Amino acid sequence: MMALRKPLAAAAILMAFAVVLSPLLAALLGSGLRWRAVAAEFESVAGPLRGSAGTALAASLVALALGVPFALLVERSRPGPRRVSWALGLLALMMPPYVVAESAIVLLGPAGRVARPVAVWLGLGPRPAGPVELARFTVPGFIYSWPAVGVVMGGCLFPVVALAVAGASRRTDHRVFEEARLAQGRRGVWRIGASVFAPPALGAALLVFALTLTEFPVPQLLRVRTVGEAIYERIQEGDLAAASALSLPLMPVVVAAAALGAYVLARGRVASLAGLEGEVPRFAGRRAGRAGHLAAGLITLVAITPALILPSASLGWLAASANASGSAMQGRHRLVRASGLSGSFRGVWELAHDDAIRTVLLAGLAATLATTFATGLARLASRAGWGPILGGLGAGVAVPAPIVGLGLVILWNRGAGAAVYRSSAIVLLAWFARFLPVAVFLAQGALARVPRELEDAAALAGRGPAGRFLAVVLPNAVPGLVAAWLAVYVLSATEIGATVLIAPPGKPLFAPSVMTFMRRGQDPEIAACQILLLAVIALPLALLSLGVALRPRAGRPQKGSP
């Protein structure tokens, strides 16, 4: 078994890199790309590249501004409010950014339900404010700008920064802050805090920067021209070489940001492993008083406003004012024109229920396969001493989604691969290429948190490698592996950029259908689509919560027991 460990690990690592990076290589090598085309496209990419860089920088700053105080204040609050705050933060992380963008348009856009009445109330609207003048009045928009994209993406991704900072706080012996307070006062506390919390916060902000650089649907909804949209337009025009050329200026920036961010966070995670050996600091410092609890509640409210409160308010407003009526159009891609929310909901379900069911099944299958493979890969790489090599998979996250779709088309739309291209397997390959690194990193963290002493004890008891893994490692790593499964499920179910290019004919997925409804539908249809999409996302969470609630708790007598 020891002799097979390294060959198996090498084969698994090569397979993972092939799945993640083969679409990029196919797009660059199989699209007829020539250096002359690259030079020609460099001139046209300047504007979109500025848009991508501006949105990514704004998103990282917003994530820092929300995530750092959220983590520091919430971590010092009482256990009950702390759990509620973190639950809300993780729900914000699961909210699709394009739903948040649509909510911002509905409420704060040029004709927004909130922006226009407020502008009229402030005297910026037409005078006299007649119905015709009001109908024509629009507010000069902040929404359709690159800072708005940054606010949306930063508001959705701030938990990435918050989790990194909270992890650093839990690993830190807070006696150093008390000593710094006694020695140098508040300035000493700030200096120690900066040295402890700045590296993980900046590492997470770099990951937010990298993720926003490759974002596709949100800039498209908010009419900000980015590299992703330019690539998609070239693909639609059939100019595959130009599409590949446009991705080249973006790749070094994204890979560098993602790699640096992952490196900083990985160093922090390795440092945290000392806690597995009994070195977790028991001294937590002074707890926050009433003012601290109030501050934690306020920062939670502010932090979840973009990704939770804004979409909830928009959805409630659309549901309350859903009174449009009309006749339904015919055809596979017809738009719903029903009366009221319930009628629109029935109409959207009639049109898209197959898409929703197909998405749930495929996303669940993708999450199961990706988590299973990631767990085995992380286990083999760790046992072989090659765990750091897996950090290179982070480069796959940097590949723009349209390039993933283009690469898969080039790879599989030929010869014997046409059978895969015309089936749902092509969708699974796209989701693996985009999100397998996420599953691998989360699985690595879950397995690393299992104390090695437990395995050693099982080995002394006579259990083999497979028995130790099933009896000791897997039960202790379950929470982290469940998180990996949920992450891949949510990301797959809401993916648009690659899915819209490679979805098999006659088998569309739900997220692209929702995007179509949101761009072309009216208020009732938009509300109905958002409800259905959120239901698709929440389905595994609801089942998981039900299972936890029904699970018998230790110490509680079962029915029929004495």
Side-chain angles (χ1 to χ4, degrees), residues 42 221 296 316 330 399 455:
F42 271 175
L221 276 174
Q330 302 299 318
V399 181
E455 282 198 76

Side-chain angles (χ1 to χ4, degrees), residues 254-305:
V254 181
V255 171
L260 183 57
Y263 172 74
V264 173
L265 292 178
R267 290 195 62 183
R269 191 185 67 198
V270 170
S272 72
L273 299 183
L276 299 176
E277 301 173 1
E279 299 177 14
V280 175
R282 297 182 181 276
F283 182 80
R286 291 183 293 179
R287 285 293 180 185
R290 182 174 299 177
H293 297 315
L294 179 62
L298 288 176
I299 191 59
T300 300
L301 184 65
V302 171
I304 66 173
T305 293

Side-chain angles (χ1 to χ4, degrees), residues 26-341:
L28 294 178
L29 302 177
S31 61
L33 178 64
R34 298 291 184 270
W35 289 111
R36 185 176 300 175
V38 175
E41 290 297 332
F42 271 175
E43 297 181 2
S44 62
V45 81
L49 189 59
R50 283 196 298 270
S52 296
T55 59
L57 179 61
S60 59
L61 293 176
V62 170
L64 279 173
L66 296 178
V68 173
F70 177 89
L72 296 180
L73 293 173
V74 168
E75 281 297 297
R76 297 184 67 236
S77 61
R78 291 190 296 269
R82 182 168 66 243
R83 284 192 290 267
V84 172
S85 295
W86 277 115
L88 293 173
L90 294 177
L91 285 176
L93 187 61
M94 299 182 68
M95 180 67 68
Y98 50 84
V99 171
V100 178
E102 179 65 26
S103 303
I105 295 172
V106 170
L107 295 180
L108 305 175
R113 271 57 169 185
V114 173
R116 190 158 58 178
V118 169
V120 172
W121 180 72
L122 292 175
L124 303 176
R127 296 181 182 180
V132 177
E133 290 79 6
L134 280 177
R136 293 176 177 175
F137 172 65
T138 58
V139 181
F142 162 78
I143 290 302
Y144 296 121
S145 64
W146 62 264
V149 178
V151 171
V152 169
M153 294 301 299
C156 291
L157 296 176
F158 86 89
V160 175
V161 175
L163 288 169
V165 174
S169 176
R170 293 173 184 177
R171 294 191 300 269
T172 302
D173 191 337
H174 287 251
R175 281 175 289 196
V176 297
F177 295 106
E178 296 297 327
E179 294 167 357
R181 190 191 308 275
L182 293 174
Q184 298 181 356
R186 191 175 296 274
R187 185 180 63 178
V189 175
W190 280 100
R191 290 179 60 185
I192 295 295
S195 64
V196 171
F197 300 126
L202 292 177
L206 284 170
L207 291 182
V208 173
F209 183 90
L211 291 171
T212 307
L213 270 177
T214 59
E215 176 64 21
F216 173 66
V218 172
Q220 190 179 53
L221 276 174
L222 299 185
R223 304 177 188 176
V224 175
R225 187 161 180 78
T226 60
V227 176
E229 184 175 3
I231 292 171
Y232 184 74
E233 288 177 355
R234 297 295 194 280
I235 294 174
Q236 292 292 92
E237 295 168 0
D239 193 350
L240 304 185
S244 301
L246 283 172
S247 69
L248 290 179
L250 190 66
M251 290 298 299
V253 180
V254 181
V255 171
L260 183 57
Y263 172 74
V264 173
L265 292 178
R267 290 195 62 183
R269 191 185 67 198
V270 170
S272 72
L273 299 183
L276 299 176
E277 301 173 1
E279 299 177 14
V280 175
R282 297 182 181 276
F283 182 80
R286 291 183 293 179
R287 285 293 180 185
R290 182 174 299 177
H293 297 315
L294 179 62
L298 288 176
I299 191 59
T300 300
L301 184 65
V302 171
I304 66 173
T305 293
L308 282 185
I309 295 179
L310 188 68
S312 299
S314 171
L315 187 58
W317 197 303
L318 291 175
S321 59
N323 54 5
S325 62
S327 59
M329 300 172 63
Q330 302 299 318
R332 174 73 181 93
H333 298 288
R334 65 191 187 275
L335 299 179
V336 180
R337 292 292 181 266
S339 177
L341 179 63

Side-chain angles (χ1 to χ4, degrees), residues 543-553:
L543 295 177
L544 179 63
S545 301
L546 180 62
V548 171
L550 296 179
R551 184 182 63 184
R553 297 183 181 178

